């Protein structure tokens, strides 16, 4: 088992190919303990529909007021991850957006070892990763709220799968 890893999440304003990243979030785990958090809104000029705002719990005003450039947010994410192993819950989805911004803004690759929790779930449970499944079927929960809730659960799932 890796002593240190970072669980990352990319939030977008939609699911289609032309959706834009609106935030990056990450949690660092060391020796099985949550030790640090990273979060940045991204102000790319993307507009959030009322439906997306309701689902995400954020508004256009929030993103415009607190968001930073995609370049700055991506560089901060790279710095936060350092040399840690990175765990994603849906790597295929995330990679579509990361690759697009990397090319568009001439940004470097995230060179960390990346573990796709969704792929691990397919191997172990013959289904994709789902926070609801983890809570209901595996009994893994958290006291964290908001963006941190699903990241903390993903970190605990990764630890549990490594311990088997």
């Amino acid at each position: 088992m890796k002593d240190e890893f970072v669980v990352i999440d990319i939030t977008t304003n939609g699911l289609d190919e032309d959706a834009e990243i609106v935030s990056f979030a990450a949690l660092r785990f060391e020796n099985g303990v949550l030790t640090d958090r990273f979060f940045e809104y991204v102000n790319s000029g993307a507009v959030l529909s009322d439906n997306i705002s309701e689902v995400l719990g954020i508004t256009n005003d929030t993103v415009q007021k607190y968001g930073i450039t995609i370049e700055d947010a991506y560089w901060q994410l790279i710095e936060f991850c350092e040399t840690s192993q990175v765990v994603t819950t849906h790597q295929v989805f995330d990679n579509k957006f990361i690759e697009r911004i990397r090319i568009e803004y001439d940004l470097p690759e995230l060179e960390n070892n990346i573990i796709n929790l969704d792929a691990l779930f397919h191997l172990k449970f013959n289904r994709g990763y789902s926070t609801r499944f983890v809570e209901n079927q595996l009994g893994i929960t958290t006291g964290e709220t908001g963006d941190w809730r699903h990241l903390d659960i993903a970190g605990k799932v990764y630890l549990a799968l490594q311990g088997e």
Side-chain angles (χ1 to χ4, degrees):
M1 174 170 67
K2 188 97 167 110
D3 293 336
E4 182 178 308
F5 64 94
V6 174
V7 181
I8 66 170
D9 182 50
I10 297 168
T11 303
T12 63
N13 68 341
L15 301 176
D16 55 349
E17 294 292 324
D18 63 342
E20 297 289 334
I21 294 172
V22 295
S23 73
F24 289 106
L27 294 179
R28 175 180 308 285
F29 290 82
E30 296 175 17
N31 299 313
V33 177
L34 173 60
T35 60
D36 202 2
R37 300 165 195 250
F38 168 81
F39 183 87
E40 282 294 344
Y41 285 115
V42 174
N43 186 356
S44 64
V47 176
L48 303 173
S49 69
D50 291 342
N51 185 41
I52 293 293
S53 285
E54 185 176 325
V55 168
L56 298 178
I58 59 175
T59 66
N60 286 307
D61 289 342
T62 301
V63 172
Q64 290 170 1
K65 184 174 181 179
Y66 299 107
I68 62 176
T69 67
I70 190 74
E71 299 99 319
D72 288 345
Y74 185 75
W75 277 110
Q76 288 180 30
L77 178 67
I78 288 175
E79 289 173 13
F80 183 82
C81 292
E82 297 174 336
T83 59
S84 300
Q85 183 167 270
V86 171
V87 176
T88 68
T89 55
H90 296 96
Q91 185 179 5
V92 172
F93 178 81
D94 292 347
N95 269 356
K96 290 189 304 188
F97 299 99
I98 291 294
E99 283 305 305
R100 189 177 76 212
I101 66 163
R102 279 188 54 261
I103 292 166
E104 186 175 335
Y105 295 97
D106 194 28
L107 297 167
E109 271 188 72
L110 186 64
E111 295 181 358
N112 307 55
N113 179 35
I114 299 174
I115 303 297
N116 183 353
L117 200 53
D118 193 51
L120 290 177
F121 245 66
H122 275 287
L123 291 172
K124 173 107 177 123
F125 301 104
N126 200 31
R127 61 167 292 131
Y129 178 81
S130 156
T131 301
R132 182 172 289 146
F133 175 82
V134 167
E135 290 177 313
N136 294 337
Q137 301 298 315
L138 304 181
I140 297 175
T141 61
T142 182
E144 297 290 333
T145 59
D147 288 318
W148 309 118
R149 181 178 164 275
H150 69 279
L151 287 172
D152 187 42
I153 288 174
K156 290 176 178 179
V157 167
Y158 179 66
L159 287 167
L161 291 175
Q162 294 302 303
E164 294 181 345

